[in-house]
């Protein structure tokens, strides 16, 4: 896949919404053929790669040979190859053209960031995804010209042992010139200067993003971040620092808290004393009740809020709606550091129902059936065991409505039949390409014996159990879980952080409610017979999850890609340590 370099006329054409939509419509009407051609191109371009040579593909590009010779793999299987690349081996290992950049996946599910190959093909597919969803979005919610308040941050960039640049995939994309040109042409230019986005200190960057948003408050047409978590984090911070921001605006001088010289210089160009603006925002904020509707109040021309809101981001929706009031919330697209999968081409759907239409030309996609709707009957959820012992993947156009699948990716960045680890559900079709709903990370299961609870089950249980807190005007701001097998029988431990102190009585009620809210038949029956011990709710100090975020940033992660780990496994000792040392109260359920 060659990187397109376009002049400004070419760029206009490349982004013309009608053309983009026509292109997508015709491609998705022919998904089967496009998939076959895409696989052929991937195998042709990389026929010299050692990985494919070793499998005896010998330049074959047909589907049968591919399926017969290329095994399903996980990241662990590819690690030796990726490490050789990172260590400076420039021979064609996974791809025909050597990989020169490495991405760090957020690794919040595994406990530590993973190395994955990054190349121009990924930048190109990122642009394709962005312009596709933008075209559909802009048709429903035209933004005209203006700016975007984007809470985006770069990770620390470093060199691998072999001298390759390494950073998170979002950072690698943000740095590319193609990205900047596309964003400009989409009139989605960030109101913050590059020095803020690429600043070395996340807290200082966040402060300046907020300041830039206020300076350009009338021009802001949408507020976004890669994952919705960053938007919530930003406006929670606004609640703390808004008066300081207004002082900066009034005096035209940046707070001494921002110390990075490049950020100070860049901000000095934007910041001029502006009493009127500071007074206006002061009046607006003073009129708010509990910050409800903060975003439209600050940014009167904002049309929508945009960022991934599904999967592990769903727990933030309630708070996001609080800040957004009536503004539409539109979920961002579906992808990963390893590559993109689908675009949100139905922007009018609320985030809970958001779907992602697979782009058939950015990779070759296969699906392993995991479970189907017939395995559920209302609240009486029957065993959700993964059905396939010997997985037999099927193609993109063979998937069936209502069935959940694990997704397998083959792409232009050196991944062949790679198990991404996500479970998706087919909820519709856009022409002949499936529209997927994100269900969960496959490995995020709370399980002790026959019980199986996914990230989604945990989220629903926490939501239900947090209801009594509303009486005290409190909410759960973050949560995670752990299976504790240190004593017999094992039990679930749920950690949660609240935005204030709740009374003993209420917490005990929440704890019992949590235990009862895991309705998986395996869990309920094991609890009843004592095969699983009483659920334990551990309340942690305010700011504990901020420490977890800081820990990931220290490992080279970026806030832009951060996802709170919802289940802490044994490999994640440091996070467990942070949680354990911040527990202020521990409660056992008496529900069974
Ligand atoms: P990372 O590579 O660290 O950015 O993480 C990628 C993972 O984030 C994916 O494999 C998904 O589990 C999750 N993810 C990405 N996009 C979405 C989305 N639109 N909805 C839900 N989860 C997502």
């Amino acid at each position: 896949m060659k990187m397109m370099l376009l002049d400004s006329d070419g760029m206009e054409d490349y982004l013309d919404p009608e053309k983009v939509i026509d292109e997508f419509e015709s491609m998705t009407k022919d998904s089967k053929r496009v998939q076959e051609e895409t696989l052929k191109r991937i195998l042709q371009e990389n026929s010299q790669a050692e990985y494919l040579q070793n499998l005896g593909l010998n330049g074959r590009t047909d589907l049968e040979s591919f399926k017969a010779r290329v095994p399903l793999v996980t990241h662990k299987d590819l690690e030796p190859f990726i490490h050789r690349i990172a260590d400076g081996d420039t021979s064609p290992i996974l791809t025909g053209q050597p990989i020169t950049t490495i991405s760090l996946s957020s690794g919040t599910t595994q406990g530590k960031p993973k190395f994955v190959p990054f190349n121009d093909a990924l930048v190109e597919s990122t642009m394709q995804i962005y312009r596709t969803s933008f075209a559909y979005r802009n048709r429903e919610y035209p933004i005209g010209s203006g700016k975007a308040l984007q809470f985006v941050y770069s990770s620390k960039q470093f060199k691998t042992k072999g001298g390759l640049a390494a950073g998170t995939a979002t950072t690698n994309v943000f740095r590319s010139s193609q990205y900047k040109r596309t964003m400009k042409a989409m009139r989605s230019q960030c109101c913050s200067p590059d020095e803020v986005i690429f600043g070395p200190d996340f807290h200082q960057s966040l402060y300046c993003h907020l300041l830039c948003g206020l300076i350009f408050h009338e021009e802001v047409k949408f507020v976004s971040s890669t994952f919705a978590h960053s938007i919530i984090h930003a406006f929670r911070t606004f609640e703390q620092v808004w008066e300081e921001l207004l002082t900066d605006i009034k005096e035209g001088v940046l707070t001494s808290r921002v110390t990075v010289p490049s950020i100070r210089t860049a901000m000095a160009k934007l910041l001029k004393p502006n009493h009127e603006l500071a007074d206006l925002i002061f009046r607006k904020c003073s009129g708010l009740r509990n910050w409800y509707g903060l975003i439209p109040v600050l940014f009167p021309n904002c049309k929508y809020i945009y960022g991934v809101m599904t999967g592990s981001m769903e727990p933030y929706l309630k708070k996001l709606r609080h800040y957004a009031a009536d503004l539409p919330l539109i979920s961002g697209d579906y992808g990963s550091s390893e590559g993109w999968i689908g675009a949100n081409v139905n922007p009018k759907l609320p985030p809970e129902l958001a779907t992602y239409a697979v782009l058939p030309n950015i990779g070759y996609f296969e699906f392993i059936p995991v479970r189907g709707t017939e395995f559920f009957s209302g609240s009486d959820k029957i065993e959700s065991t993964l059905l396939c012992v010997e997985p037999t993947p099927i193609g993109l156009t063979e998937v069936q409505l209502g069935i959940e699948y694990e997704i397998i990716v083959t792409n232009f960045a050196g991944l062949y039949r790679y198990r991404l680890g996500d479970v998706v559900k087919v909820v519709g079709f856009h022409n002949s390409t499936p529209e997927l709903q994100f269900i969960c990370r496959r490995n995020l299961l709370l399980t002790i014996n026959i019980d199986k609870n996914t990230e989604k089950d945990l989220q629903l249980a926490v939501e239900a159990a947090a209801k009594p807190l509303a009486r005290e005007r409190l909410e759960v701001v973050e949560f995670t879980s752990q299976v504790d097998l240190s004593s017999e029988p094992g039990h679930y431990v749920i950690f949660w952080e609240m935005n204030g102190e709740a009374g003993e009585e209420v917490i005990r009620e929440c704890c019992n409610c949590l235990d009862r809210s895991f309705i998986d038949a395996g869990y309920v029956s094991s609890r009843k017979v004592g095969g699983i011990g009483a659920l334990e709710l551990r309340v942690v100090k305010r700011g504990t999850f901020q420490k977890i975020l800081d820990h990931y940033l220290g490992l080279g992660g970026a806030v832009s890609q951060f996802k709170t780990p919802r289940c802490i496994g044994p490999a994640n000792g440091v996070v467990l340590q942070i949680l354990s040392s911040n527990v202020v109260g521990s409660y056992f359920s008496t529900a069974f």
Side-chain angles (χ1 to χ4, degrees):
M1 208 177 195
K2 292 277 173 308
M3 177 83 145
M4 275 194 256
L5 281 176
L6 302 164
D7 56 21
S8 52
D9 282 352
M11 190 55 106
E12 283 289 310
D13 220 32
Y14 173 72
L15 290 171
D16 177 350
E18 289 314 314
K19 283 203 174 129
V20 173
I21 290 177
D22 284 352
E23 220 176 83
F24 185 71
E25 292 297 324
S26 69
M27 179 170 67
T28 52
K29 281 181 184 143
D30 207 5
S31 307
K32 189 168 186 316
R33 190 185 55 78
V34 176
Q35 276 284 272
E36 279 166 14
E37 276 175 10
T38 304
L39 177 65
K40 204 173 211 138
R41 278 186 20 239
I42 294 172
L43 297 179
Q44 253 161 12
E45 277 183 25
N46 299 299
S47 62
Q48 294 309 311
E50 175 190 319
Y51 184 78
L52 294 179
Q53 296 258 333
N54 287 352
L55 295 170
L57 223 52
N58 285 333
R60 291 192 196 91
T61 58
D62 62 291
L63 184 56
E64 291 66 38
S65 310
F66 173 72
K67 281 189 150 186
R69 292 174 186 263
V70 181
L72 298 179
V73 291
T74 62
H75 186 268
K76 212 166 176 37
D77 300 310
L78 296 185
E79 245 162 19
F81 298 94
I82 299 176
H83 279 133
R84 272 174 55 206
I85 296 171
D87 288 351
D89 186 338
T90 55
S91 63
I93 297 177
L94 287 171
T95 47
Q97 291 295 315
I99 294 286
T100 55
T101 309
I102 292 287
S103 285
L104 286 173
S105 79
S106 62
T108 39
T109 51
Q110 265 81 41
K112 64 173 182 353
K114 291 180 299 196
F115 276 12
V116 292
F118 181 87
N119 64 7
D120 282 350
L122 291 182
V123 179
E124 183 58 37
S125 56
T126 306
M127 294 312 113
Q128 197 193 331
I129 283 268
Y130 282 7
R131 68 195 174 105
T132 304
S133 56
F134 179 75
Y136 285 87
R137 197 160 71 243
N138 212 41
R139 192 165 70 171
E140 304 292 349
Y141 305 104
I143 54 171
S145 59
K147 289 189 186 295
L149 172 55
Q150 294 182 296
F151 295 102
V152 289
Y153 309 89
S154 102
S155 62
K156 287 194 187 102
Q157 282 243 318
F158 68 94
K159 293 265 183 230
T160 64
K161 207 165 116 197
L164 278 73
T168 53
T170 40
T171 306
N172 292 334
V173 169
F174 296 155
R175 283 195 187 277
S176 72
S177 57
Q178 177 82 343
Y179 172 79
K180 285 184 194 146
R181 284 145 44 88
T182 309
M183 286 297 143
K184 193 167 171 192
M186 281 176 15
R187 300 179 197 88
S188 306
Q189 248 179 314
C190 188
C191 21
S192 311
D194 275 2
E195 290 80 353
V196 170
I197 300 172
F198 297 109
D201 180 293
F202 149 69
H203 300 280
Q204 298 187 25
S205 292
L206 165 54
Y207 184 91
C208 292
H209 275 316
L210 289 169
L211 196 52
C212 292
L214 296 181
I215 294 170
F216 295 109
H217 77 292
E218 284 188 328
E219 288 166 67
V220 170
K221 292 297 177 69
F222 65 94
V223 173
S224 76
S225 70
T226 313
F227 287 97
H229 166 266
S230 304
I231 303 178
I232 294 299
H233 195 272
F235 288 102
R236 281 196 199 277
T237 306
F238 181 88
E239 291 184 26
Q240 319 279 315
V241 301
W242 70 288
E243 283 165 311
E244 196 174 345
L245 289 164
L246 296 192
T247 308
D248 292 4
I249 292 175
K250 194 171 275 179
E251 293 169 3
V253 181
L254 187 61
T255 172
S256 57
R257 198 138 75 100
V258 176
T259 53
V260 177
S262 58
I263 298 186
R264 291 198 70 84
T265 312
M267 289 302 294
K269 289 184 195 144
L270 300 176
L271 201 54
K272 303 282 172 284
N274 190 339
H275 278 248
E276 263 174 38
L277 178 60
D279 289 345
L280 174 73
I281 295 172
F282 182 81
R283 280 198 308 277
K284 285 181 170 203
C285 289
S286 311
L288 289 175
R289 269 197 67 208
N290 199 20
W291 302 101
Y292 178 80
L294 175 61
I295 299 177
V297 159
L298 291 180
F299 311 109
N301 298 312
C302 181
K303 299 272 191 280
Y304 55 82
I305 296 172
Y306 184 66
V308 171
M309 295 172 191
T310 44
S312 58
M313 297 298 131
E314 256 187 63
Y316 305 111
L317 282 175
K318 194 167 162 224
K319 190 70 182 176
L320 201 52
R321 288 212 164 90
H322 182 84
Y323 285 135
D326 295 329
L327 277 179
L329 303 184
I330 309 177
S331 187
D333 304 312
Y334 173 33
S336 67
S337 307
E338 289 91 335
W340 285 98
I341 292 155
N344 179 359
V345 296
N346 297 312
K348 288 228 143 166
L349 288 177
E352 289 85 349
L353 302 177
T355 60
Y356 305 104
V358 179
L359 271 70
N361 71 338
I362 55 177
Y364 183 78
F365 299 101
E366 293 171 272
F367 297 83
I368 301 174
V370 173
R371 59 185 180 184
T373 43
E374 69 272 26
F375 295 99
F376 292 91
S377 58
S379 63
D380 191 16
K381 198 171 84 180
I382 306 173
E383 173 142 357
S384 58
T385 316
L386 306 175
L387 290 175
C388 295
V389 182
E390 268 305 309
T392 348
I394 55 172
L396 181 77
T397 50
E398 291 158 357
V399 295
Q400 286 174 34
L401 200 65
I403 305 288
E404 291 185 10
Y405 297 93
E406 185 193 334
I407 192 159
I408 314 287
V409 179
T410 296
N411 67 16
F412 290 90
L415 302 180
Y416 308 95
R417 310 195 88 193
Y418 176 90
R419 298 178 81 150
L420 189 61
D422 286 346
V423 176
V424 293
K425 181 174 180 176
V426 177
V427 292
F429 287 89
H430 189 99
N431 298 317
S432 59
T433 200
E435 290 182 330
L436 308 176
Q437 211 162 55
F438 182 88
I439 300 295
C440 58
R441 295 285 305 171
R442 188 179 156 156
N443 58 357
L444 267 184
L445 285 177
L446 280 170
T447 176
I448 289 176
N449 44 51
I450 56 165
D451 55 311
K452 284 191 176 50
N453 281 295
T454 65
E455 176 171 10
K456 182 81 188 174
D457 299 322
L458 170 67
Q459 178 206 327
L460 294 175
V462 169
E463 256 167 35
K467 285 199 179 119
L469 292 178
R471 289 203 303 269
E472 306 203 359
R473 300 181 68 88
L474 290 173
E475 59 192 354
V476 175
V477 281
E478 277 294 2
F479 62 92
T480 189
S481 66
Q482 183 212 359
V483 164
D484 186 341
L485 299 173
S486 62
S487 56
E488 271 287 320
H491 69 284
Y492 289 8
V493 178
I494 311 297
F495 294 89
W496 73 13
E497 179 176 326
M498 290 173 291
N499 61 344
E501 254 180 61
E504 285 266 327
E505 195 89 333
V506 184
I507 297 278
R508 290 198 186 282
E509 190 182 335
C510 294
C511 180
N512 287 345
C513 185
L514 252 178
D515 205 6
R516 277 194 302 263
S517 300
F518 286 104
I519 53 170
D520 158 59
Y523 183 75
V524 176
S525 55
S526 292
R527 280 288 289 121
K528 282 186 181 155
V529 299
I532 295 180
L535 178 142
E536 185 182 356
L537 173 59
R538 292 189 195 157
V539 178
V540 296
K541 264 188 225 145
R542 282 216 73 180
T544 304
F545 281 82
Q546 174 67 45
K547 288 184 189 154
I548 295 175
L549 170 62
D550 289 338
H551 161 69
Y552 280 105
L553 300 189
L555 292 177
V559 180
S560 289
Q561 267 175 257
F562 182 73
K563 299 160 211 75
T564 296
R566 299 288 183 208
C567 183
I568 312 294
N572 222 339
V574 181
V575 173
L576 198 54
Q577 177 61 36
I578 297 173
L579 287 164
S580 305
S581 56
N582 284 283
V583 172
V584 287
S586 164
Y587 305 83
F588 282 91
S589 157
T590 51
F592 285 87

